[in-house]
Amino acid sequence: MAALPEAVTPTVHVQPMRRRHVRAVLRIEHQVYPRPWSASLFHSELALRSTRAYYVARVGREIAGYAGLMMTVDDGHVTTIAVDPKWHRNKIGTRLLLVLVREGIARGATSLTLEVRMSNRGAQELYRQFGFQPVGVRKNYYQEVNEDALVMWAHEVDQPRYSELLDSIEGALPDETIVEDRRD
C-alpha cells in the first residue's frame, strides 16, 4: 500500500501496548528491522511494568507504530521505536517519542538515551529535535548488518526549558494526538 499523501492528517491515538497488540507490532518489526524482536521478547518487556513503558500508535483500528522505554534509576533508555513504512511522513514517530519522553519524565528521568543506526539520518534528526545529542559510537552494534550505532543523550529533561521544548513540538503537530490510558 502506498504512503498517505502529506495532506492527510490522521487522528492518532497513542495507548499503552498490550499483549493483544504484539501481532501487529511484529508485522511492523519484520518490515523495518533486519533482526526483529520475537513475540516472547515483547511479552517479557511488557511484563516488566515497573521499569518499562511500551506504547502503540493507532490510526483508526490499525497499529501504525510503536515505541518502548526502559527506566534505570533516573535515566530513560529508548529501547525501540518504529513506524509502519506506509505511515511514514505523518509524524507518527514524533507523537510516539513525545509520549515516551513524557512518560520517562513522569517516572523520574532526568536524562534520556538511545542508540540509532549511523545510516538512519531521518531518525537522528527527529532525536535532535527532542534535544538528543551524539556522545559516542558503538562499533558494530547492529551486527546483523555490520553497522555502528550513534549513541545519543538528552540531559536535564526534567527542567522547565525541556518541558517548553516538548510543548513546542506538540504544538507544531498538524492535528491532535489522543493519548489513552497513559498510566495504569
Side-chain angles (χ1 to χ4, degrees), residues 67-135:
L69 180 76
M70 174 179 65
M71 291 298 301
T72 56
V73 188
D74 57 358
D75 291 336
H77 180 87
V78 177
T79 57
T80 188
I81 185 166
V83 175
D84 186 319
K86 77 178 180 182
W87 287 104
H88 284 184
R89 311 291 173 253
N90 282 278
K91 303 288 186 189
I92 305 290
T94 300
R95 297 163 204 276
L96 283 163
L97 191 55
L98 191 60
V99 170
L100 211 61
V101 166
R102 285 194 166 139
E103 179 67 19
I105 294 166
R107 289 183 179 217
T110 59
S111 297
L112 299 165
T113 186
L114 54 81
E115 294 89 14
V116 59
R117 291 179 194 282
M118 293 295 286
S119 64
N120 194 343
R121 302 283 186 215
Q124 290 172 35
E125 180 55 35
L126 171 65
Y127 303 143
R128 280 187 177 89
Q129 290 172 15
F130 278 80
F132 285 86
Q133 295 298 315
V135 297

Side-chain angles (χ1 to χ4, degrees), residues 172-183:
L173 290 171
D175 62 327
E176 187 177 16
T177 303
I178 299 168
V179 180
E180 301 171 3
D181 301 321
R182 187 159 177 253
R183 295 199 301 164

Side-chain angles (χ1 to χ4, degrees), residues 6-35:
E6 286 192 34
V8 173
T9 54
T11 298
V12 179
H13 295 256
V14 178
Q15 66 188 83
M17 185 188 297
R18 301 288 184 236
R19 291 176 65 90
R20 69 178 177 271
H21 298 127
V22 170
R23 183 179 300 158
V25 164
L26 287 173
R27 181 185 50 76
I28 298 168
E29 183 84 0
H30 281 85
Q31 290 181 67
V32 300
Y33 292 118
R35 195 165 121 206

